[in-house]
């Protein structure tokens, strides 16, 4: 079924682009059986790449709040809360079922400092400026076009007080293969208000396949 969906998606991408990706994720629970496997189980929680995000937060000072865009069921926020229990976490995701599963998990495990809401990433322009310390994404911006990327990065910079952390795939000049491998170096150089940014290549210790070739942890510090 997954292979069939991928084939159909590739044929429709030139015509529907980001709208198709958004539709597939929003209704993933209706398209795939056992779709939630790998999103909120122990194996997923302990996936090595999450340590990259945890360590990136560890390098920051005085972090009191974190927002994750495209949080799914909140797996990254749960992992972060294990190390930083005093931080307030918020996540938004377009998939209602994923949010419901995450909320149930948070309630069962008494994780009251994590809130997950249903929301479209494209609507972040409604969020208040400097309303959260750090914003994170994990394999999310790869489903938005270069034009959308600029819009999202602009607002992420506006909304955050200290910058953002991205775990995404990257390619010089930008490449599209089922998803976008953006040229983040070029995109970030076009933004004003950034103090510095670091591009850290993801190695085989943390992931596999295309993520070794194209995966990066992107740390952006705001002025």
């Amino acid at each position: 079924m997954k292979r069939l969906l991928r084939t159909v998606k590739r044929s429709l991408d030139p015509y529907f682009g980001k709208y198709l990706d958004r539709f597939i994720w929003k209704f993933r629970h209706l398209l795939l059986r056992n779709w939630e496997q790998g999103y909120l189980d122990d194996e997923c929680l302990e996936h090595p790449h999450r340590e990259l995000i945890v360590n990136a937060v560890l390098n920051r000072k005085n972090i009191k709040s974190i927002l994750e865009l495209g949080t799914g069921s909140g797996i990254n926020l749960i992992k972060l809360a294990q190390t930083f229990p005093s931080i307030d976490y918020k996540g938004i995701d377009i998939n209602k079922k994923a949010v419901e599963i995450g909320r149930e998990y948070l309630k069962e495990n008494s994780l009251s400092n994590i809130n997950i809401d249903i929301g479209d990433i494209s609507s972040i322009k409604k969020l208040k400026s400097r309303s959260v310390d750090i914003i994170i994404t994990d394999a999310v911006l790869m489903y938005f076009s270069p034009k959308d990327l600029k819009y999202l990065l602009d607002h992420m910079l506006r909304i955050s007080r200290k910058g953002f952390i991205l775990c995404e795939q990257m390619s010089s000049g930008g490449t599209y293969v089922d998803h976008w491998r953006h040229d983040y170096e070029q995109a970030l150089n076009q933004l004003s208000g950034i103090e510095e940014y670091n591009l850290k290549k993801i190695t085989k210790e943390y992931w596999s396949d295309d993520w070794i070739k194209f995966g990066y942890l992107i740390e952006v510090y705001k002025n």
Side-chain angles (χ1 to χ4, degrees), residues 2-57:
K2 288 184 178 180
R3 183 174 296 178
L4 175 60
L5 284 175
R6 182 174 296 177
T7 301
V8 173
K9 180 183 181 301
R10 283 179 175 175
S11 66
L12 295 176
D13 268 338
Y15 307 100
F16 298 100
K18 66 176 183 180
Y19 301 105
L20 185 59
D21 288 311
R22 191 177 303 177
F23 176 87
I24 290 174
W25 175 244
K26 186 174 183 178
F27 299 103
R28 188 181 181 90
H29 57 289
L30 301 177
L31 298 171
L32 295 173
R33 182 178 298 178
N34 299 325
W35 70 276
E36 70 274 20
Q37 291 182 358
Y39 286 92
L40 197 56
D41 54 26
D42 290 340
E43 183 178 357
C44 182
L45 183 64
E46 298 304 325
H47 192 284
H49 91 278
R50 302 197 196 286
E51 288 299 326
L52 293 172
I53 299 174
V54 170
N55 291 335
V57 174

Side-chain angles (χ1 to χ4, degrees), residues 13-128:
D13 268 338
Y15 307 100
F16 298 100
K18 66 176 183 180
Y19 301 105
L20 185 59
D21 288 311
R22 191 177 303 177
F23 176 87
I24 290 174
W25 175 244
K26 186 174 183 178
F27 299 103
R28 188 181 181 90
H29 57 289
L30 301 177
L31 298 171
L32 295 173
R33 182 178 298 178
N34 299 325
W35 70 276
E36 70 274 20
Q37 291 182 358
Y39 286 92
L40 197 56
D41 54 26
D42 290 340
E43 183 178 357
C44 182
L45 183 64
E46 298 304 325
H47 192 284
H49 91 278
R50 302 197 196 286
E51 288 299 326
L52 293 172
I53 299 174
V54 170
N55 291 335
V57 174
L58 188 63
N59 291 334
R60 307 279 182 137
K61 296 181 180 179
N62 302 318
I63 301 302
K64 298 179 180 180
S65 59
I66 291 178
L67 167 66
E68 182 176 26
L69 304 177
T71 192
S73 296
I75 193 74
N76 281 320
L77 302 183
I78 293 167
K79 182 68 176 180
L80 284 165
Q82 292 178 345
T83 305
F84 313 103
S86 62
I87 291 178
D88 289 325
Y89 301 95
K90 182 178 178 61
I92 61 172
D93 198 276
I94 197 173
N95 187 294
K96 180 180 179 180
K97 187 64 176 178
V99 171
E100 289 176 353
I101 291 173
R103 285 175 174 173
E104 183 178 347
Y105 181 95
L106 297 176
K107 183 177 181 181
E108 291 176 352
N109 291 275
S110 301
L111 294 170
S112 58
N113 61 326
I114 304 176
N115 292 299
I116 304 175
D117 292 325
I118 301 168
D120 191 328
I121 295 175
S122 298
S123 65
I124 63 170
K125 65 180 181 180
K126 298 178 182 178
L127 299 180
K128 294 181 179 179

Side-chain angles (χ1 to χ4, degrees), residues 133-175:
D133 285 330
I134 290 178
I135 297 174
I136 64 174
T137 72
D138 184 3
V140 170
L141 300 182
M142 60 200 297
Y143 295 108
F144 289 83
S145 71
K147 180 180 179 181
D148 293 322
L149 178 69
K150 185 180 187 310
Y151 164 86
L152 292 171
L153 292 180
D154 279 340
H155 282 290
M156 289 166 66
L157 197 61
R158 175 186 62 80
I159 296 164
S160 65
R161 287 187 284 265
K162 299 177 181 290
F164 42 88
I165 299 167
L166 316 176
C167 187
E168 302 286 346
Q169 291 189 14
M170 173 176 165
S171 178
S172 178
T175 306

